[in-house]
Amino acid sequence: MNASSIRRLEKIARSAAKSSYSPYSQFTVGAAVLADSGKIYAGANVENASFGLCNCAERIAICSAITAGEKKIQCIVVYTPTQAVTPPCGSCRQVINEFGPQARIISVCDSDDRIETTLDALLPGAFGPANLG
Ligand code: THU
């Protein structure tokens, strides 16, 4: 994956954050996923008055890719309009493991703060499909 593809994903994640529905936390998140086909899927967090039903941007983007027929994701970019980056939450890490255990995981924000990491670093020893035999 070259630098321009990553810049494109970042731009889409930033733009996706504008669609966030986050009246309860006021915490806006955008995500962009690059799938194996080369297509990009965007997502934003969508909250609910029943707080436990809040959906993270990453999972919205991944589910959008999978329901469009994708099987694997290669990269996910998470954007928050903050001064410090936001890493994927634990639930999102587990979902990334399902569809992109080798995916590049990049977090960006409104400062130069940036994380580029892997699932091996974020969720070592993950439970996954292989554990079901
Ligand atoms: N959120 C995400 O969308 N992604 C994360 O990785 C962390 C948290 C959302 C969920 C909720 O709408 C808000 O941020 C505050 O937790």
Side-chain angles (χ1 to χ4, degrees):
M1 202 177 323
N2 58 31
S4 83
S5 314
I6 290 172
R7 273 198 302 276
R8 185 148 174 256
L9 282 167
E10 289 181 20
K11 203 171 160 196
I12 291 169
R14 282 173 194 275
S15 171
K18 294 181 197 140
S19 307
S20 165
Y21 175 75
S22 43
Y24 306 108
S25 73
Q26 311 286 340
F27 192 74
T28 295
V29 188
V33 157
L34 175 66
D36 261 6
S37 69
K39 288 190 190 156
I40 294 172
Y41 299 85
N45 56 329
V46 178
E47 299 187 342
N48 193 282
S50 176
F51 297 163
L53 300 183
C54 290
N55 297 288
C56 289
E58 297 93 314
R59 277 178 284 151
I60 299 259
I62 293 169
C63 290
S64 171
I66 299 308
T67 54
E70 304 287 353
K71 303 291 178 222
K72 282 268 176 255
I73 65 161
Q74 293 184 3
C75 182
I76 182 161
V77 172
V78 186
Y79 163 76
T80 46
T82 51
Q83 290 302 301
V85 284
T86 299
C89 79
S91 299
C92 291
R93 293 176 194 200
Q94 185 67 33
V95 173
I96 295 168
N97 184 62
E98 188 78 17
F99 299 112
Q102 307 303 323
R104 279 175 84 164
I105 302 168
I106 301 171
S107 296
V108 295
C109 63
D110 284 346
S111 73
D112 289 337
D113 196 14
R114 179 186 184 89
I115 303 175
E116 285 215 31
T117 188
T118 62
L119 206 62
D120 279 345
L122 293 180
L123 195 65
F127 170 83
N131 296 108
L132 294 175

